Amino acid sequence: MSESGRISWPAQQPVWTFDWRLADAPDEEGIVILGAAYRGHQVFAKASLPSLRVRYEGPCGPYKDPLNYNNAHPTSRCPGSRVCVYAYSSGGLRALSVESYHTISAYRLTHRWVFWENGVIMPRLFSAGIQCPFDHRHHVYWRLDFDIDGAGRDLALEYNTYTDEEGWGAGWHPFRTETKRLKNPPSRRSWAVVDLDSHRGYHVLPGPNDGTADAFSASDLWLLRYRASEDRYGRQGSAADDGLNGYLNAESTDGQDLVVWYAAHLFHRVAQGGDDWHGVGPDLVPFGPW
């Protein structure tokens, strides 16, 4: 079973167009965004949440919790569908939300994509509930297959306050081969993907609650050259290992078709109880002549 749809929003003079789908096993990667374009310029070939791993500070797990059609449920906002699409306004801007609500054992999870009329994209995962009475972390992995203005000719950069001018603006350093990186809040570290021809691009800004890597989930971002064999439709890694380091083989990422894996690490203290919702996710912010 699955649900899918086509978005052209707003209906008059659309700024966002894309397809979406929510599939069942073995394709378990939450709501998948396909062929997303902003103001007629392509942003993603595909964006998804293929892996969600949980590690407890106790004898339970670890677990890998796939988000799929089977564990999704209709909500009061959209009682006839397991994917809810709705528009709203905030701060004088309009936004379109595409979301699904899931239950996995004692966990309650909301997977959401928010597309703002100014081009900002907000991938989010919200979690509540306790499966085992120990502190734990949900490690959330988004796969962002950027095709800005088409596949190829993209370059990834990293910002740090200490980086000298290297031709990309103060603080910015390009990555020309595959790599993995850690967050570094003291240097305001963030990332960007830019099309070398149009100079349109997207910042990847870590969310304030996204945490940092640990021994169980040892990186925060992986930059990879696109390979179809590395898109595993939710069968990525295992409960014990995210499996992403095996894709790093020093391939060129200079003017190539790029994939960014971004990880957030949601800490849940058992003493807080299971009723409070915790949310993580980066902000994807456009720059250049969109």
Side-chain angles (χ1 to χ4, degrees), residues 106-169:
Y107 300 133
R108 306 186 303 279
L109 305 133
T110 295
H111 180 208
R112 178 181 298 155
W113 296 93
V114 181
F115 297 86
W116 291 87
E117 65 177 329
N118 63 359
V120 173
I121 308 167
M122 296 169 57
R124 291 293 185 267
L125 184 79
F126 300 91
S127 175
I130 296 175
Q131 176 65 20
C132 190
F134 295 91
D135 293 349
H136 59 279
R137 296 183 95 191
H138 298 262
H139 301 274
V140 189
Y141 299 80
W142 284 274
R143 181 181 180 274
L144 308 172
D145 180 0
F146 284 102
D147 276 4
I148 298 175
D149 282 316
R153 296 294 293 160
D154 286 347
L155 180 70
L157 305 101
E158 179 178 277
Y159 177 84
N160 292 282
T161 54
Y162 56 73
T163 301
D164 293 332
E165 169 66 64
E166 299 182 11
W168 300 94

Side-chain angles (χ1 to χ4, degrees), residues 150-217:
R153 296 294 293 160
D154 286 347
L155 180 70
L157 305 101
E158 179 178 277
Y159 177 84
N160 292 282
T161 54
Y162 56 73
T163 301
D164 293 332
E165 169 66 64
E166 299 182 11
W168 300 94
W172 289 99
H173 169 78
F175 288 120
R176 303 193 186 279
T177 57
E178 294 181 327
T179 189
K180 61 180 179 179
R181 302 296 291 164
L182 298 173
K183 300 185 187 83
N184 188 34
S187 71
R188 296 168 53 197
R189 181 169 293 168
S190 64
W191 299 275
V193 176
V194 61
D195 180 83
L196 292 174
D197 296 321
S198 70
H199 304 289
R200 283 181 278 268
Y202 262 82
H203 294 291
V204 180
L205 304 177
N209 301 312
D210 286 0
T212 54
D214 58 19
F216 180 74
S217 180

Side-chain angles (χ1 to χ4, degrees), residues 6-169:
R6 173 72 174 169
I7 298 293
S8 183
W9 176 84
Q12 301 297 323
Q13 299 181 325
V15 295
W16 281 107
T17 57
F18 56 86
D19 295 316
W20 60 263
R21 71 166 182 249
L22 176 65
D24 211 341
D27 294 350
E28 302 173 290
E29 48 188 338
I31 298 172
V32 179
I33 305 298
L34 297 163
Y38 175 59
R39 298 193 182 278
H41 299 282
Q42 188 169 6
V43 178
F44 296 130
K46 178 181 178 183
S48 57
L49 199 164
S51 186
L52 175 58
R53 303 164 62 231
V54 186
R55 183 180 184 274
Y56 279 84
E57 298 177 8
C60 306
Y63 302 109
K64 188 171 186 286
D65 295 328
L67 301 179
N68 58 39
Y69 175 87
N70 189 55
N71 57 38
H73 308 276
T75 61
S76 58
R77 184 190 292 271
C78 297
S81 174
R82 302 191 190 194
V83 175
C84 190
V85 179
Y86 60 94
Y88 64 96
S89 296
S90 179
L93 288 173
R94 295 174 298 173
L96 184 76
S97 179
V98 184
E99 69 180 35
S100 53
Y101 171 73
H102 304 257
T103 58
I104 303 174
S105 297
Y107 300 133
R108 306 186 303 279
L109 305 133
T110 295
H111 180 208
R112 178 181 298 155
W113 296 93
V114 181
F115 297 86
W116 291 87
E117 65 177 329
N118 63 359
V120 173
I121 308 167
M122 296 169 57
R124 291 293 185 267
L125 184 79
F126 300 91
S127 175
I130 296 175
Q131 176 65 20
C132 190
F134 295 91
D135 293 349
H136 59 279
R137 296 183 95 191
H138 298 262
H139 301 274
V140 189
Y141 299 80
W142 284 274
R143 181 181 180 274
L144 308 172
D145 180 0
F146 284 102
D147 276 4
I148 298 175
D149 282 316
R153 296 294 293 160
D154 286 347
L155 180 70
L157 305 101
E158 179 178 277
Y159 177 84
N160 292 282
T161 54
Y162 56 73
T163 301
D164 293 332
E165 169 66 64
E166 299 182 11
W168 300 94

Side-chain angles (χ1 to χ4, degrees), residues 249-269:
N249 52 21
E251 288 190 275
S252 171
T253 56
D254 190 351
Q256 303 295 330
D257 185 357
L258 303 184
V259 173
V260 171
W261 284 81
Y262 176 88
H265 316 277
L266 188 160
F267 184 68
H268 192 175
R269 192 177 302 279

